[in-house]
Amino acid sequence: MASSTHAPIAAIATAPGRGGIGVVRVSGPDLSGLARRLFGRQLTPRHAHYLPFTADTGEHLDEGIALYFRAPQSYTGEDVLELQGHGGPAVLRRILDRCLQAGADLGLRLAEPGEFTRRAFLNDRMDLAQAEAVADLIDASSVAAARGAMASLSGEFSARVNALSDRIVHLRMLVEATLDFPEEEIDFLEKYQARPTLQALAADLDTLIAQARQGVILREGLHVVLAGQPNVGKSSLLNALAGDDIAIVTPIAGTTRDKVVQEIHIEGVPLHIVDTAGLRETDDTVESMGIARTWKEIERADVILHLQDATQPADALDAQIVARLPARTPLLTVFNKVDLLDRPFAAGAGQLGISAREGAGLDELRARLLALAGWNPGAESPWLARERHLHALQAAAGHLATATEHAAQDDRVLDLFAEELRLAHDSLSSITGKFTSDDLLGEIFSSFCIGK
């Protein structure tokens, strides 16, 4: 029987529910014997075979297509067997049970979430950034996100990271060669133009960081919280942005007692718009709970829209709300109901006048939202990125900055210079998985769906 880490695995690879087609996937070392048990014949690799799927008793379970991929020319790098039948949950479960039964003596077991892709990574079929892109492609909620995930899966992001890593390694190699031969009295930094090389590396890394920020926004979206006093039009604005009646709107103050979340897309970027309970002093227990939840949402917001009623003068409560808003979070003050004014609205710095009811100013609001979050359409990343990628890039930039400081001391601290280059290289390598802990791998792949 194979060890647990190399034992064959099986799972239903299609989403739960009924569909025209469903897939059961098996991966492991040498599945030719399992295929013979299931079908009574040898399957030709990479050919579609139309066959009956039968139980060990001979009962017909289904009929469909069987595909056999020999290692290493498969998704996981192992032998892979895919059975494509009808997409009913009961049918697929019976086919999966039959596979598990036929492969019991081989140690065949149910796959864990993301285990097929994890094996693809461990067998060098893809690097870690590409493996993460598989999940991102499945989860993509917009065309732009899907395009970015596909770019990452094809290796565009990894190629940029690897190119930077190679240049750092080359410079580090020259430094360490100099350290190995101290009797050679040469000015390393001058001879090998280390300072301009380091400057160019830092500039290219800054460009990559800027693109990664775009990729993070495109993948994860923005958490936008609508905050303000009751009856200023927060729910009306949510409905206007969503293009549907998502939240209840009434003239009664305090209608919204709990948060209402709606995802919209602006230029392909997902925005999670959160309508919250109006902020005010109240003795109502339920409303007080809603207000407490509002402040929790405000604390985790990427962007805060502070809504005010353009027909009402500013009061002490609005000032108190602004004073309590987190200073680290981008803020836009939005004056609603400008359609009710008898004069044009004069917006100040960081302000915008709109009419949620009439739609006036909403295009400008959408543009301001993206700008506040750091989205730059002209610098759109061609690939998706994750927060961990951004942190790794920033860590590498920090090490290059420290290396630049050491370079200012001429050749006296070349050993420290070389160490910072090593740390920068390790940070970049963690993106593609060349230096990655098992704990991180477990965390990454546990978020995948079963069967992928």
Side-chain angles (χ1 to χ4, degrees):
M1 181 179 295
S3 66
S4 177
T5 54
H6 299 290
I9 54 175
I12 298 171
T14 41
R18 294 182 298 173
I21 297 175
V23 177
V24 172
R25 175 181 288 164
V26 185
S27 178
D30 192 6
L31 298 181
S32 58
L34 176 64
R36 281 194 300 271
R37 294 182 197 179
L38 291 173
F39 304 111
R41 54 173 288 189
Q42 185 66 48
L43 299 183
T44 304
R46 308 182 75 82
H47 280 69
H49 301 80
Y50 181 70
L51 297 166
F53 301 157
T54 58
D56 59 334
T57 61
E59 176 191 1
H60 252 52
L61 304 177
D62 196 6
E63 54 188 20
I65 302 295
L67 293 166
Y68 179 45
F69 301 91
R70 290 285 293 174
Q73 296 177 324
S74 71
Y75 179 73
T76 64
E78 304 174 326
D79 278 16
V80 170
L81 182 63
E82 288 194 356
L83 310 182
Q84 302 178 7
H86 293 92
V91 173
L92 292 174
R93 183 69 226 182
R94 297 185 75 190
I95 295 172
L96 176 61
D97 288 343
R98 171 59 180 140
C99 290
L100 292 171
Q101 178 194 48
D105 62 331
L106 303 175
L108 182 62
R109 59 172 175 81
L110 289 172
E112 298 173 359
E115 193 167 6
F116 290 96
T117 305
R118 180 168 184 161
R119 291 190 177 196
F121 163 69
L122 294 174
N123 292 326
D124 294 325
R125 296 295 292 172
M126 60 181 68
D127 65 34
L128 190 55
Q130 290 174 295
E132 290 170 308
V134 172
D136 293 339
L137 185 59
I138 293 171
D139 293 337
S141 59
S142 70
V143 172
R147 187 180 296 116
M150 193 61 228
S152 293
L153 181 57
S154 66
E156 289 185 27
F157 180 37
S158 299
R160 294 284 302 278
V161 172
N162 289 334
L164 269 175
S165 293
D166 291 344
R167 291 163 61 193
I168 291 173
V169 167
H170 178 69
L171 182 59
R172 179 184 164 198
M173 176 190 67
L174 295 175
V175 179
E176 295 191 348
T178 302
L179 292 172
D180 288 339
F181 299 99
E183 66 278 1
E184 300 287 338
E185 295 185 2
I186 62 171
D187 185 340
F188 164 78
L189 296 173
E190 288 296 330
K191 179 176 177 60
Y192 294 108
Q193 297 185 312
R195 293 186 186 91
T197 298
L198 195 60
Q199 186 177 8
L201 281 169
D204 289 346
L205 184 53
D206 286 344
T207 299
L208 194 57
I209 288 172
Q211 291 178 323
R213 286 197 181 100
Q214 302 294 298
V216 169
I217 293 172
L218 189 58
R219 176 185 179 271
E220 299 184 359
L222 307 173
H223 192 73
V224 180
V225 174
L226 311 181
Q229 295 189 44
N231 230 17
V232 294
K234 297 186 296 299
S235 297
S236 297
L237 178 56
L238 173 66
N239 291 343
L241 290 172
D244 200 357
D245 291 333
I246 305 299
I248 297 174
V249 177
T250 75
I252 304 171
T255 299
T256 303
R257 299 297 184 94
D258 202 354
K259 67 178 181 181
V260 179
V261 184
Q262 177 65 24
E263 181 176 305
I264 67 171
H265 290 85
I266 301 176
E267 297 186 22
V269 178
L271 274 71
H272 311 286
I273 309 293
V274 185
D275 179 22
T276 60
L279 300 172
R280 65 174 176 176
E281 296 291 333
T282 180
D283 294 326
D284 187 299
T285 302
V286 176
E287 188 177 358
S288 295
M289 293 173 65
I291 291 171
R293 292 184 179 184
T294 294
W295 284 112
K296 288 183 179 179
E297 288 297 322
I298 288 173
E299 284 297 323
R300 57 189 292 263
D302 295 315
V303 176
I304 299 170
L305 295 187
H306 178 204
L307 260 70
Q308 298 184 43
D309 189 335
T311 66
Q312 301 297 319
D315 58 21
L317 181 52
D318 276 321
Q320 292 171 12
I321 291 172
V322 171
R324 190 173 169 183
L325 295 176
R328 68 182 183 279
T329 308
L331 170 67
L332 177 62
T333 302
V334 178
F335 287 88
N336 189 27
K337 307 181 185 180
V338 296
D339 56 307
L340 301 180
L341 297 176
D342 55 7
R343 64 190 185 284
F345 178 78
Q351 298 179 349
L352 180 66
I354 69 164
S355 170
R357 184 174 65 178
E358 301 294 334
L362 293 189
D363 287 341
E364 175 66 17
L365 175 59
R366 294 183 181 99
R368 293 260 198 116
L369 279 173
L370 294 181
L372 281 171
W375 177 256
N376 181 358
E380 180 180 347
S381 169
W383 28 259
L384 294 194
R386 298 188 173 204
E387 281 289 347
R388 80 166 193 91
H389 301 154
L390 186 57
H391 292 160
L393 292 170
Q394 290 169 334
H399 291 303
L400 290 186
T402 304
T404 302
E405 294 173 4
H406 292 321
Q409 302 180 49
D410 299 321
D411 285 355
R412 289 171 292 172
V413 288
L414 282 183
D415 53 342
L416 298 178
F417 183 86
E419 176 63 9
E420 292 300 328
L421 292 179
R422 182 188 70 80
L423 293 172
H425 175 247
D426 287 354
S427 294
L428 294 179
S429 295
S430 71
I431 294 175
T432 55
K434 293 180 181 177
F435 296 103
T436 307
S437 70
D438 287 340
D439 288 343
L440 177 59
L441 291 180
E443 181 181 340
I444 289 172
F445 288 108
S446 65
S447 64
F448 280 51
C449 55
I450 292 176
K452 197 56 182 175

